Amino acid sequence: MIEIKDLHKSYKTGSNSLHVLKGINFSVAEGELVSIMGSSGSGKSTLLNILGMLDEADSGTYTLDGVPIKNLNEKIAARYRNKFLGFIFQSFNLISYKSAVDNVALPLYYQGLKRKERMDRAMAYLEKVGLTDWAQHLPNELSGGQKQRVAIARALASDPKVLLADEPTGALDTKTSYEVMDLIQKINEEGRTILIVTHEHDIAEMTKRIVNLKDGVIIDDNKVDQIKALQYV
């Protein structure tokens, strides 16, 4: 599903260059649930941005579902993101003046679906995350956990190949974090490929594989015995 080979990325900082990713080799099979860990400055956010086609590597190759991701203009990158990827963010990134159902339906607008089909599909995904009764509520009327569930429904609505979650529990209390991870585990069990960037060890242990980054290189990459979030919920 994801194949990365010898990926390098540097950023110019004044007259200096900061080498952030130093030859990353990394692959993810369809249906995996993988966490990427590392301290601040390890390169995990840069890697996630490249995976999400929000940034491009200086060298190396990135292949997503058999498609080489290289030299994309913004229009093509946006189309590929909409086709292949769903995003879940720490800060939810919901549109404040739109209802929950309108937020979920938004990616479908860019896919050209008619309004009724958008709304029907958005409601189906809100039902999936247990928020049917909150469909018409604005984000400021929802709890943090509910906002993240709306964000997960939005990420799923366009039926992406891969979900990319950047610190999805970072803004939530422990109980709500585990409820969100229980939902993510259930989505993975349906066959969805999911990558989670996290700095929380308990969250990483709820995935099936932990990749550790340090100073721009992968220092270990291990399959783990997954802890079920449900036992804590």
Side-chain angles (χ1 to χ4, degrees):
M1 179 58 72
I2 290 172
E3 188 74 47
I4 278 180
K5 291 182 179 172
D6 198 27
L7 211 67
H8 288 261
K9 180 67 180 179
S10 297
Y11 293 104
K12 289 277 188 291
T13 54
S15 58
N16 299 317
S17 181
L18 183 64
H19 198 175
V20 181
L21 297 180
K22 304 168 183 173
I24 298 284
N25 291 289
F26 176 66
S27 63
V28 178
E30 187 170 358
E32 281 201 89
L33 174 55
V34 181
S35 54
I36 300 172
M37 297 196 74
S39 59
S40 181
S42 62
K44 63 185 189 297
S45 294
T46 301
L47 178 59
L48 194 74
N49 284 341
I50 291 170
L51 291 170
M53 297 179 236
L54 302 167
D55 202 349
E56 196 165 336
D58 299 330
S59 63
T61 61
Y62 170 25
T63 307
L64 176 58
D65 199 32
V67 177
I69 306 299
K70 189 159 180 67
N71 300 329
L72 306 181
N73 64 40
E74 183 46 45
K75 189 174 181 181
I76 294 173
R79 193 170 83 229
Y80 279 8
R81 278 195 295 269
N82 214 350
K83 177 181 177 183
F84 289 118
L85 302 172
F87 292 90
I88 305 166
F89 301 96
Q90 177 177 345
S91 55
F92 320 126
N93 285 19
L94 300 178
I95 296 173
S96 62
Y97 57 85
K98 286 188 176 291
S99 67
V101 69
D102 282 330
N103 267 282
V104 175
L106 195 60
L108 305 174
Y109 172 81
Y110 294 108
Q111 289 189 345
L113 271 64
K114 289 189 166 59
R115 178 169 174 79
K116 183 179 186 313
E117 191 177 349
R118 293 200 306 269
M119 290 297 119
D120 287 349
R121 198 190 290 191
M123 283 303 298
Y125 278 104
L126 279 179
E127 183 178 0
K128 187 180 182 69
V129 301
L131 286 180
T132 309
D133 292 345
W134 296 84
Q136 301 305 327
H137 287 250
L138 295 173
N140 67 5
E141 299 170 316
L142 306 176
S143 69
Q146 288 172 325
K147 288 177 190 173
Q148 195 58 291
R149 285 171 178 269
V150 173
I152 290 168
R154 179 185 59 191
L156 289 170
S158 56
D159 195 25
K161 303 276 187 184
V162 179
L163 283 183
L164 298 176
D166 188 5
E167 301 278 5
T169 60
L172 306 174
D173 63 63
T174 302
K175 181 178 182 293
T176 309
S177 294
Y178 293 170
E179 289 171 353
V180 166
M181 283 306 299
D182 178 52
L183 179 58
I184 286 173
Q185 287 177 340
K186 285 172 178 165
I187 292 163
N188 172 247
E189 283 159 13
E190 294 170 358
R192 191 85 56 178
T193 310
I194 306 176
L195 272 72
I196 297 176
V197 165
T198 183
H199 66 277
E200 298 170 281
H201 287 278
D202 56 338
I203 298 301
E205 287 169 354
M206 293 177 187
T207 66
K208 296 174 180 174
R209 175 180 160 202
I210 301 175
V211 177
N212 267 296
L213 282 179
K214 186 176 182 180
D215 297 330
V217 295
I218 292 174
I219 55 170
D220 57 55
D221 180 348
N222 298 302
K223 291 191 174 179
V224 294
D225 291 330
Q226 183 186 39
I227 293 172
K228 290 292 186 182
L230 189 60
Q231 71 188 62
Y232 296 112
V233 172

PDB file of all heavy atoms in Angstrom, residues 8 16 37 65 112 161 191 206:
ATOM      1  N   HIS A   8      14.947  11.281   1.652  1.00  0.00           N
ATOM      2  CA  HIS A   8      15.709  12.356   2.293  1.00  0.00           C
ATOM      3  C   HIS A   8      14.930  13.660   2.189  1.00  0.00           C
ATOM      4  O   HIS A   8      14.295  13.928   1.173  1.00  0.00           O
ATOM      5  CB  HIS A   8      17.073  12.548   1.611  1.00  0.00           C
ATOM      6  CG  HIS A   8      18.046  11.448   1.904  1.00  0.00           C
ATOM      7  ND1 HIS A   8      19.037  11.544   2.860  1.00  0.00           N
ATOM      8  CD2 HIS A   8      18.174  10.209   1.359  1.00  0.00           C
ATOM      9  CE1 HIS A   8      19.732  10.417   2.892  1.00  0.00           C
ATOM     10  NE2 HIS A   8      19.234   9.593   1.993  1.00  0.00           N
ATOM     11  N   ASN A  16      22.056  27.915   6.544  1.00  0.00           N
ATOM     12  CA  ASN A  16      22.297  26.513   6.878  1.00  0.00           C
ATOM     13  C   ASN A  16      21.214  25.612   6.283  1.00  0.00           C
ATOM     14  O   ASN A  16      20.173  26.086   5.839  1.00  0.00           O
ATOM     15  CB  ASN A  16      22.330  26.316   8.402  1.00  0.00           C
ATOM     16  CG  ASN A  16      23.431  27.118   9.049  1.00  0.00           C
ATOM     17  OD1 ASN A  16      24.545  27.155   8.537  1.00  0.00           O
ATOM     18  ND2 ASN A  16      23.123  27.766  10.171  1.00  0.00           N
ATOM     19  N   MET A  37       6.405   6.891  16.200  1.00  0.00           N
ATOM     20  CA  MET A  37       6.763   7.602  17.416  1.00  0.00           C
ATOM     21  C   MET A  37       8.120   8.277  17.257  1.00  0.00           C
ATOM     22  O   MET A  37       8.918   7.899  16.403  1.00  0.00           O
ATOM     23  CB  MET A  37       6.821   6.640  18.607  1.00  0.00           C
ATOM     24  CG  MET A  37       5.497   5.981  18.933  1.00  0.00           C
ATOM     25  SD  MET A  37       5.532   5.256  20.586  1.00  0.00           S
ATOM     26  CE  MET A  37       5.420   6.733  21.609  1.00  0.00           C
ATOM     27  N   ASP A  65      -0.292   2.851  -3.169  1.00  0.00           N
ATOM     28  CA  ASP A  65      -1.238   1.993  -3.898  1.00  0.00           C
ATOM     29  C   ASP A  65      -0.812   1.827  -5.361  1.00  0.00           C
ATOM     30  O   ASP A  65      -1.638   1.894  -6.278  1.00  0.00           O
ATOM     31  CB  ASP A  65      -2.651   2.566  -3.800  1.00  0.00           C
ATOM     32  CG  ASP A  65      -3.722   1.513  -4.112  1.00  0.00           C
ATOM     33  OD1 ASP A  65      -3.491   0.328  -3.811  1.00  0.00           O
ATOM     34  OD2 ASP A  65      -4.774   1.877  -4.668  1.00  0.00           O
ATOM     35  N   GLY A 112     -17.451  15.919  -6.327  1.00  0.00           N
ATOM     36  CA  GLY A 112     -18.489  16.193  -7.316  1.00  0.00           C
ATOM     37  C   GLY A 112     -19.804  15.482  -7.083  1.00  0.00           C
ATOM     38  O   GLY A 112     -20.645  15.409  -7.988  1.00  0.00           O
ATOM     39  N   LYS A 161      -8.016   5.096   0.813  1.00  0.00           N
ATOM     40  CA  LYS A 161      -7.212   3.881   0.956  1.00  0.00           C
ATOM     41  C   LYS A 161      -6.502   3.863   2.308  1.00  0.00           C
ATOM     42  O   LYS A 161      -6.300   2.810   2.900  1.00  0.00           O
ATOM     43  CB  LYS A 161      -6.156   3.828  -0.153  1.00  0.00           C
ATOM     44  CG  LYS A 161      -6.707   3.883  -1.563  1.00  0.00           C
ATOM     45  CD  LYS A 161      -7.128   2.526  -2.031  1.00  0.00           C
ATOM     46  CE  LYS A 161      -7.511   2.543  -3.498  1.00  0.00           C
ATOM     47  NZ  LYS A 161      -8.006   1.246  -3.955  1.00  0.00           N
ATOM     48  N   GLY A 191     -10.578  -3.458   7.725  1.00  0.00           N
ATOM     49  CA  GLY A 191      -9.621  -3.571   6.627  1.00  0.00           C
ATOM     50  C   GLY A 191      -8.953  -2.276   6.216  1.00  0.00           C
ATOM     51  O   GLY A 191      -8.145  -2.261   5.277  1.00  0.00           O
ATOM     52  N   MET A 206      -1.776   0.453  21.301  1.00  0.00           N
ATOM     53  CA  MET A 206      -3.086   0.065  20.779  1.00  0.00           C
ATOM     54  C   MET A 206      -3.056  -0.134  19.266  1.00  0.00           C
ATOM     55  O   MET A 206      -4.079  -0.445  18.660  1.00  0.00           O
ATOM     56  CB  MET A 206      -4.132   1.109  21.176  1.00  0.00           C
ATOM     57  CG  MET A 206      -4.381   1.135  22.674  1.00  0.00           C
ATOM     58  SD  MET A 206      -5.540   2.426  23.178  1.00  0.00           S
ATOM     59  CE  MET A 206      -5.409   2.276  24.965  1.00  0.00           C
TER      60      MET A 206
END
